[in-house]
Amino acid sequence: MSFLKKIDRYLAKVEAFLLSYTVIAMAIVLIGNVLSRSIFNRSWTFVEEVGQLMVIIITFIGVSYAARNGRHIRMSAVFDAVPIKAKKVLILIISLATAVTLLYFAYLGFTYMKFVIGTGRVTPALRIPAYFMVVFIPAGFLLAGIQYLINFVLNLREKEIYIGTDKPLALETQCSLETKCNK
């Protein structure tokens, strides 16, 4: 189990690094472009490409970050209404199905990336290979799929319910939501 937690901690650091520095860089580039337009009456030609790349990074790496912290969008009406034992089964099904779906999306993303590499396209302003813009899409799906697999394994092995790996949903909280609690 400690192996999974080590992988999880490492991936968390990579994601946090990418997300935080991308947001900071995006702010610097966009503010710099606004100042350049206002002061010098000239816009930077590369801003659109850089902004597009940064939005892709934030969006797709953010999927995994949200899954790790249990902050992803979820429909919890059914989950909240069922007893604790059913919640455990339901979270196992949800985690596995989501992992399989995200890993399939990662596969499709890698297939698309191979296609883009084959075209040899480059971006107009910066002249960087177009696949560099696309690589974060399958990477984000892959990281999120791994995160859900880790959630699945943790829910399979541990007594608590893991929605995200940062901390489990305490059974005491679950018991207080139920009219009948079997400890």
Side-chain angles (χ1 to χ4, degrees):
M1 184 54 65
S2 67
F3 177 70
L4 283 179
K5 293 195 183 214
K6 284 181 184 177
I7 290 174
D8 188 49
R9 277 192 299 252
Y10 176 74
L11 289 177
K13 287 179 183 178
V14 170
E15 290 166 359
F17 175 82
L18 278 172
L19 289 172
S20 60
Y21 284 103
T22 301
V23 169
I24 291 168
M26 186 179 214
I28 290 170
V29 168
L30 293 176
I31 291 169
N33 188 44
V34 168
L35 291 174
S36 175
R37 238 187 357 235
S38 298
I39 296 170
F40 303 114
N41 208 22
R42 295 196 73 119
S43 185
W44 298 342
T45 57
F46 63 89
V47 169
E48 184 179 342
E49 289 175 14
V50 171
Q52 184 180 28
L53 174 64
M54 291 180 184
V55 166
I56 289 171
I57 292 171
I58 291 168
T59 301
F60 290 98
I61 301 301
V63 170
S64 180
Y65 184 81
R68 166 173 292 101
N69 295 304
R71 301 286 184 238
H72 53 287
I73 297 172
R74 53 191 161 102
M75 306 302 277
S76 62
V78 174
F79 185 78
D80 292 341
V82 298
I84 293 172
K85 290 181 182 178
K87 284 181 187 189
K88 190 67 168 182
V89 171
L90 195 57
I91 201 69
L92 285 168
I93 293 168
I94 291 168
S95 295
L96 186 60
T98 306
V100 168
T101 303
L102 288 169
L103 292 173
Y104 177 67
F105 287 166
Y107 166 76
L108 293 176
F110 280 118
T111 303
Y112 179 66
M113 189 176 70
K114 278 178 46 180
F115 170 76
V116 172
I117 290 170
T119 63
R121 289 185 344 199
V122 294
T123 61
L126 295 175
R127 309 298 298 165
I128 60 172
Y131 70 85
F132 189 73
M133 301 277 252
V134 178
V135 72
F136 293 99
I137 297 171
F141 283 134
L142 180 65
L143 288 172
I146 290 169
Q147 187 59 48
Y148 274 99
L149 280 177
I150 291 171
N151 288 351
F152 175 75
V153 172
L154 286 173
N155 280 307
L156 203 57
R157 291 185 175 179
E158 303 289 331
K159 186 176 180 179
E160 292 88 10
I161 296 174
Y162 285 85
I163 293 175
T165 56
D166 84 354
K167 59 183 169 180
L169 201 59
L171 289 179
E172 297 81 37
T173 306
Q174 293 300 314
C175 291
S176 66
L177 296 173
E178 308 253 342
T179 54
K180 297 176 186 174
C181 184
N182 300 329
K183 286 193 176 183

